[in-house]
Amino acid sequence: MTSNPVPEPGRPIVFRGGTVLTMDDSRTVLHDADVLVVGTDVAAVGPHLEVPEGTVEVDASGGIVMPGMIDTHRHLWQTAMRAYGADWTLTQYFVWNYLSYGKLFRPQDIYAGDLLGALEAIDAGVTTTVDWSHNLQTTDHAEAAVDALRSTPGRFVLAYGNIQAGPWEWSTRPELADFVDRRVPRDEMFGFQLAFDVTGDPAFPEKAAYEAARELGAKVTTHAGVWGATNDDGIRLAYENGFMTEGNVYVHAATLSADSYQRIAGTGGYASVSAESESSCGQGYPSSWSIRKYGIPISLSNDTSVWWSGDGFSAMRATLNADRAREHHEAHASGDTVTNIALRCEDVVGWATRGGADALGLGSVVGSLQPGRRADVVLVRNEDSPVMFPLINPYGHVVMQAQRGDVQAVLVNGKVAKWDHRLVGVDLGAARRAVDETVEYLRGQLGEEEWVKGMNPEIPESKVLDNPYTYTDYASADTHRTSTE
């Protein structure tokens, strides 16, 4: 533990004597080194730094100083229902959120989930989060999301979406452009994307949403390569119509053909891999193993706390384990044995930091600890834990050993967000009350019997297996084709 009170705003801070994962181009690791933060920036990195008078000194010995982690796809609004869907399949998720009860969420429920999810991310050292906010049924819902995000010290991207209406409908309404003008600064602290999926309908109605994104100057983030929902036809339509542009993010990308992967790679797209999600609910086998072969840059995602954990450590660990399992499985299938593993711990730490920054166009701003970069800094250090020593392989320690409770300090843009293992300037009581109100409201709307059934809902006789999206009648079993067919 540090012996210092929370630093006064504006005072320089130096982390002394830690193992520093700079995540620069050479992935330089510095031992017994310092990181100096002045204002919003990393001012210097190196051993025995001279610091300005009045600098707050933090003992980082025995700990790891690293860039803040970046999550490129998390449905923060669902955090208010934490673990409710722990046993869901993807189909059950679609039934509950798309066909049944997602439409019940009010603006205040979006606020409650976003607030709790944002705090959860920061607490775990995730300093930048894409809020894949796909239940913004009205601009009042969107206002609530922005209010929640802007009330916390994190760095966010609002990915605006609405699962209850066609993308070609909500994206073209004048009130969306007005909302963006009023509430979305699109600076280093708050970005904007459009979030929608492409079903593969040959009529390509999503074209209007792509055009709206272009008009708004926004990148598109889309669930692509999701078994039974979105696959190669959606990629092909976007490509043939000229909408696969640099900086678009393809979430999961788990059930795509070689052609689709090559189109993503060739157009400067990025993947957002959510291995816990893909392993559990059935989008397809966690996709990093497939994606790596095509040179598609990878970022990591936690997806949603309605199902899984909400921290970058879990995302890294799940990704590494799934990728390695696939490598061994493929080798065994051909009678071979893997003797030197392809994916290393330092690679997934890179995906969780630099990879996310690059995917969001922030690679020159955050994602690494270098002079001139913004000071999104995480200190992983826990003197009360027997798991924090010995510190031999720092990348391996971050991926395989550390967890959110080991995050001692978090800085976002030079501002202290967590100190001595506790969030700073946060009213957790208010967040709890907001979430409790949402849970009570939803439980009352459903009734106790339906509330309990919702944790393992029955699948109705409907088109959900061929098209889970309620806003279109298009359905095609083609989404069920494997990438090898």
Side-chain angles (χ1 to χ4, degrees):
M1 303 282 284
T2 71
S3 58
N4 299 309
V6 178
E8 300 156 1
R11 285 186 66 181
I13 299 172
V14 63
F15 297 92
R16 289 283 194 197
T19 297
V20 180
L21 306 183
T22 66
M23 303 316 298
D24 61 11
D25 292 340
S26 301
R27 292 182 180 170
T28 304
V29 178
L30 302 175
H31 299 279
D32 192 18
D34 308 335
V35 176
L36 173 63
V37 173
V38 179
T40 62
D41 294 353
V42 175
V45 179
H48 313 300
L49 295 177
E50 293 187 12
V51 300
E53 185 176 351
T55 296
V56 175
E57 303 217 1
V58 181
D59 180 9
S61 60
I64 298 166
V65 187
M66 61 180 289
M69 289 171 275
I70 297 169
D71 186 336
T72 54
H73 159 251
R74 192 185 304 200
H75 306 296
L76 291 178
W77 64 276
Q78 296 175 349
T79 312
M81 298 287 288
R82 184 190 305 284
Y84 181 82
D87 297 319
W88 279 350
T89 62
L90 184 62
T91 306
Q92 289 172 313
Y93 171 85
F94 286 144
V95 167
W96 204 92
N97 283 298
Y98 292 17
L99 301 182
S100 301
Y101 302 114
K103 60 178 69 72
L104 295 177
F105 277 70
R106 307 162 298 176
Q108 56 262 50
D109 306 317
I110 299 294
Y111 178 91
D114 270 38
L115 177 61
L116 184 60
L119 296 177
E120 173 185 36
I122 296 163
D123 181 61
V126 177
T127 53
T128 302
T129 302
V130 174
D131 177 20
W132 224 97
S133 201
H134 64 338
N135 200 17
L136 302 182
Q137 301 170 58
T138 68
T139 51
D140 287 341
H141 289 75
E143 299 270 5
V146 173
D147 288 344
L149 299 178
R150 296 303 290 266
S151 72
T152 70
R155 197 182 298 271
F156 298 99
V157 174
L158 177 67
Y160 191 113
N162 179 9
I163 58 176
Q164 312 300 343
W168 51 91
E169 298 170 347
W170 57 260
S171 67
T172 58
R173 291 172 182 158
E175 54 263 36
L176 174 58
D178 175 69
F179 164 79
V180 172
D181 287 341
R182 288 186 296 102
R183 296 303 311 273
V184 182
R186 279 188 272 187
D187 54 24
E188 291 178 358
M189 294 300 295
F190 201 93
F192 183 75
Q193 297 174 338
L194 280 195
F196 59 87
D197 295 346
V198 184
T199 64
D201 183 346
F204 193 41
E206 296 87 0
K207 178 180 179 181
Y210 277 108
E211 291 173 338
R214 186 172 287 172
E215 190 72 21
L216 292 167
K219 298 299 182 183
V220 170
T221 176
T222 184
H223 294 110
V226 175
W227 176 261
T230 59
N231 279 295
D232 294 315
D233 285 340
I235 294 289
R236 177 183 53 78
L237 287 165
Y239 180 81
E240 290 176 351
N241 285 272
F243 293 114
M244 289 184 71
T245 55
E246 185 176 1
N248 284 350
V249 176
Y250 302 86
V251 178
H252 301 307
T255 53
L256 294 174
S257 67
D259 283 348
S260 291
Y261 288 130
Q262 287 165 350
R263 284 168 173 159
I264 293 172
T267 56
Y270 292 81
S272 179
V273 174
S274 181
E276 270 193 322
S277 172
E278 292 139 17
S279 295
S280 178
C281 72
Q283 292 96 337
Y285 194 89
S287 53
S288 65
W289 181 87
S290 298
I291 291 169
R292 286 193 288 109
K293 295 187 293 184
Y294 296 94
I296 299 170
I298 293 174
S299 63
L300 299 187
S301 151
N302 283 104
D303 204 338
T304 170
S305 292
V306 78
W307 250 311
W308 306 287
S309 53
D311 65 87
F313 301 109
S314 295
M316 287 187 284
R317 191 172 301 134
T319 303
L320 188 79
N321 288 338
D323 195 296
R324 289 179 172 179
R326 182 66 180 269
E327 185 177 2
H328 287 297
H329 178 78
E330 294 292 327
H332 295 172
S334 63
D336 201 359
T337 298
V338 175
T339 56
N340 293 85
I341 204 74
L343 186 65
R344 303 173 69 91
C345 289
E346 67 182 82
D347 297 321
V348 293
V349 175
W351 294 346
T353 53
R354 284 289 293 272
D358 291 341
L360 300 180
L362 296 173
S364 63
V365 179
V366 293
S368 61
L369 298 181
Q370 301 179 76
R373 296 292 200 272
R374 299 294 178 262
D376 289 10
V377 185
V378 171
L379 172 59
V380 181
R381 184 174 184 264
N382 189 347
E383 291 184 293
D384 297 322
S385 171
V387 179
M388 282 306 298
F389 62 88
L391 181 54
I392 298 171
N393 176 349
Y395 288 117
H397 210 105
V398 166
V399 177
M400 295 297 199
Q401 309 296 325
Q403 54 189 312
R404 70 166 60 245
D406 299 319
V407 175
Q408 178 175 312
V410 177
L411 273 60
V412 183
N413 211 40
K415 180 181 178 181
V416 175
K418 186 175 184 180
W419 196 254
D420 277 350
H421 301 277
R422 297 178 66 88
L423 291 169
V424 172
V426 167
D427 188 347
L428 278 179
R432 183 188 297 272
R433 289 189 294 272
V435 168
D436 284 348
E437 183 180 324
T438 286
V439 172
E440 182 179 359
Y441 158 72
L442 290 171
R443 199 164 188 160
Q445 291 290 304
L446 273 64
E448 193 60 26
E449 182 179 357
E450 196 65 26
W451 173 264
V452 174
K453 285 183 178 179
M455 297 184 194
N456 190 19
E458 295 296 326
I459 308 302
E461 291 185 15
S462 72
K463 63 184 176 62
V464 68
L465 292 177
D466 294 319
N467 170 23
Y469 304 101
T470 60
Y471 51 75
T472 175
D473 290 329
Y474 172 74
S476 171
D478 286 348
T479 53
H480 300 293
R481 289 182 304 185
T482 69
S483 60
T484 59
E485 290 180 339

